[in-house]
Amino acid sequence: MAILVTGGAGYIGSHTCVEMINAGYDVIVVDNLDNSSSESLKRVEQITGKAVPFYREDVRNKEAIRKIFKENQIEAVIHFAGLKAVGESVREPIMYYDNNLFNTITLLEVMNEYGVKKIVFSSSATVYGIATEMPLKEGMPLGAINPYGRTKYFIEEILRDLYVADSGWCIALLRYFNPIGAHKSGLIGEDPKGIPNNLMPYISQVAVGKLEKLHVFGNDYNTVDGTGVRDYIHVVDLAIGHVKAVDWALQHTGCEAFNLGTGNGTSVLQLRNAFVEATGVEVPYVIDPRRPGDPDEVYADATKAKEVLGWTAKYGVKEMCEDTWRWQKSNPNGFEK
Ligand code: NAD
Ligand code: UFG
């Protein structure tokens, strides 16, 4: 029996494949490589010493997905495949709805055909919309403030409806906070195409000399030092959260959301300073205007994941910075040679 990992060549997917294999699972990856490279899977094989069967297919292609289910004994799916850039989703909403919604619906249809009713879905803290209270708890009201966020919110709703219609399913909605860091080996990590949108890859590309300086988006927020606060989580901790969610899904039925965060908030300048301290490399910065739509503070209450899944994040910001840097300095151009 195997676990199908959609989007498994990507940043979180590749780290999750490593932890799933370490936990004794067989994984099969389907990815169209739109935002990744098959080199990441070769590195997963190098780290684990296990072969990772790979299908280069789009999850919207129903016949291709059927073929994967026909050829393999799949007992559960971890569904990462999707587009994830907030700004791009505002410019290209149809592309986001087309990919994220249709790939999920196609996948669910094929899972139903094959009687596979266990799914772990990549949701996001963005489904809390504009929250008025911190920390965020799973029972708080949901919403969305951009097309990307709406795709996550809509998919959660679809999955909740699916469970209402058929209580034989087990669905884990994993709401990630801000994943950063890389595997300790330095062999896999985040490899954004073009100029990074997110803070940590931007910091590490400044450190490695690919970008000139960090632009801090606003220092007049209502936070510890005026810069935005987020709940950064080490990608390996996040990956282990998926292992725990699969363990749980294989033993239960239900539809449950789980926050995967550390519960600790870190500001932009605190993260930049922690990176400089952990690596000894200078990261020059300037203060720029706020980025539209950015909230002051976002952090998780991750008690439910601890109580139900037996999962808590282990790594702190120091390791997140050290591990990001090990990956970045040994792979300045990501997976491109
Ligand atoms: P990623 O882009 O590195 O990985 C996504 C993978 O899915 C890529 O390898 C891409 O090629 C593939 N893909 C996209 N559309 C596909 C399709 N139709 N068929 C097959 N493959 C397809 O992104 P990531 O950071 O690893 O994120 C994984 C998931 O987690 C995404 O669903 C994302 O929305 C979600 N998420 C990410 C973050 C974050 O900050 N990284 C936060 C919250 C949620
Ligand atoms: N920031 C900068 N400079 C940069 C990039 C970011 O100052 O170059 C700041 C932002 O203003 C914010 C913080 O760093 O205060 C974190 O920004 P990121 O872009 O790294 O992360 P976000 O919290 O904005 O977004 C992340 C994911 C989204 C998801 C969102 C909510 O990237 O996909 O969390 O869950 F929707």
Side-chain angles (χ1 to χ4, degrees):
M1 296 294 264
I3 309 298
L4 179 64
V5 183
T6 77
Y11 172 46
I12 306 170
S14 55
H15 287 82
T16 299
C17 286
V18 169
E19 298 309 323
M20 290 292 291
I21 293 168
N22 285 347
Y25 287 103
D26 289 327
V27 298
I28 293 166
V29 168
V30 56
D31 198 303
N32 62 8
L33 302 183
D34 264 15
N35 197 39
S36 53
S37 154
S38 58
E39 177 63 23
S40 67
L41 296 175
K42 296 200 183 105
R43 307 270 182 101
V44 170
E45 292 179 334
Q46 194 181 335
I47 293 166
T48 61
K50 285 263 263 179
V52 177
F54 172 53
Y55 292 83
R56 183 174 184 173
E57 298 289 356
D58 194 297
V59 179
R60 286 167 292 187
N61 179 345
K62 200 185 235 180
E63 275 315 310
I65 302 304
R66 278 198 180 114
K67 185 165 178 280
I68 299 173
F69 277 77
K70 206 174 287 170
E71 289 178 359
N72 301 279
Q73 291 282 320
I74 291 166
E75 57 180 338
V77 178
I78 309 178
H79 183 36
F80 292 107
L83 303 175
K84 64 163 183 176
V86 172
E88 186 183 55
S89 81
V90 174
R91 294 188 301 274
E92 300 278 355
I94 302 304
M95 185 168 91
Y96 272 66
Y97 291 122
D98 178 30
N99 192 346
N100 294 5
L101 293 178
F102 286 150
N103 87 26
T104 305
I105 290 168
T106 306
L107 176 68
L108 293 171
E109 285 171 342
V110 177
M111 289 177 71
N112 235 338
E113 281 174 23
Y114 283 82
V116 179
K117 297 188 176 181
K118 311 277 183 193
I119 186 166
V120 174
F121 172 62
S122 294
S123 189
S124 164
T126 194
V127 299
Y128 292 106
I130 301 171
T132 48
E133 229 186 296
M134 290 294 149
L136 293 168
K137 296 190 178 71
E138 288 84 351
M140 285 179 171
L142 302 181
I145 55 167
N146 54 61
Y148 165 71
R150 265 184 285 281
T151 68
K152 294 294 177 190
Y153 172 63
F154 291 160
I155 294 167
E156 282 207 3
E157 295 283 49
I158 289 168
L159 290 166
R160 279 187 281 270
D161 285 343
L162 179 59
Y163 179 69
V164 170
D166 179 353
S167 60
W169 279 81
C170 192
I171 298 164
L173 309 168
L174 302 186
R175 296 179 182 158
Y176 313 155
F177 282 68
N178 290 56
I180 60 171
H183 190 261
K184 294 273 171 216
S185 62
L187 286 169
I188 54 173
E190 189 169 10
D191 181 16
K193 300 235 186 316
I195 296 179
N197 297 306
N198 299 115
L199 180 60
M200 187 51 129
Y202 206 104
I203 289 177
S204 65
Q205 291 199 13
V206 172
V208 85
K210 290 182 77 176
L211 296 168
E212 191 195 339
K213 54 182 181 273
L214 170 66
H215 296 261
V216 175
F217 299 147
N219 65 349
D220 57 353
Y221 285 102
N222 185 19
T223 63
V224 56
D225 57 16
T227 65
V229 164
R230 298 291 182 274
D231 185 341
Y232 296 96
I233 173 168
H234 197 297
V235 66
V236 171
D237 273 332
L238 190 63
I240 294 169
H242 290 74
V243 176
K244 300 285 188 191
V246 170
D247 291 345
W248 173 79
L250 292 176
Q251 301 297 326
H252 295 85
T253 55
C255 179
E256 295 289 339
F258 299 99
N259 286 342
L260 296 187
T262 64
N264 303 316
T266 304
S267 76
V268 174
L269 286 179
Q270 285 172 335
L271 190 68
R272 176 262 172 206
N273 294 343
F275 186 93
V276 172
E277 201 170 309
T279 64
V281 182
E282 209 29 66
V283 177
Y285 68 91
V286 283
I287 307 292
D288 274 10
R290 289 181 177 204
R291 185 171 64 179
D294 276 354
D296 302 56
E297 294 197 311
V298 180
Y299 54 94
D301 178 333
T303 313
K304 184 177 172 189
K306 183 176 184 185
E307 287 176 356
V308 179
L309 304 178
W311 173 88
T312 26
K314 287 197 306 264
Y315 296 113
V317 163
K318 182 171 181 281
E319 282 124 329
M320 299 181 209
C321 293
E322 287 168 355
D323 296 341
T324 300
W325 182 232
R326 189 176 305 108
W327 152 253
Q328 179 74 74
K329 74 172 180 231
S330 39
N331 303 271
N333 298 315
F335 290 110
E336 267 175 38
K337 303 262 165 55

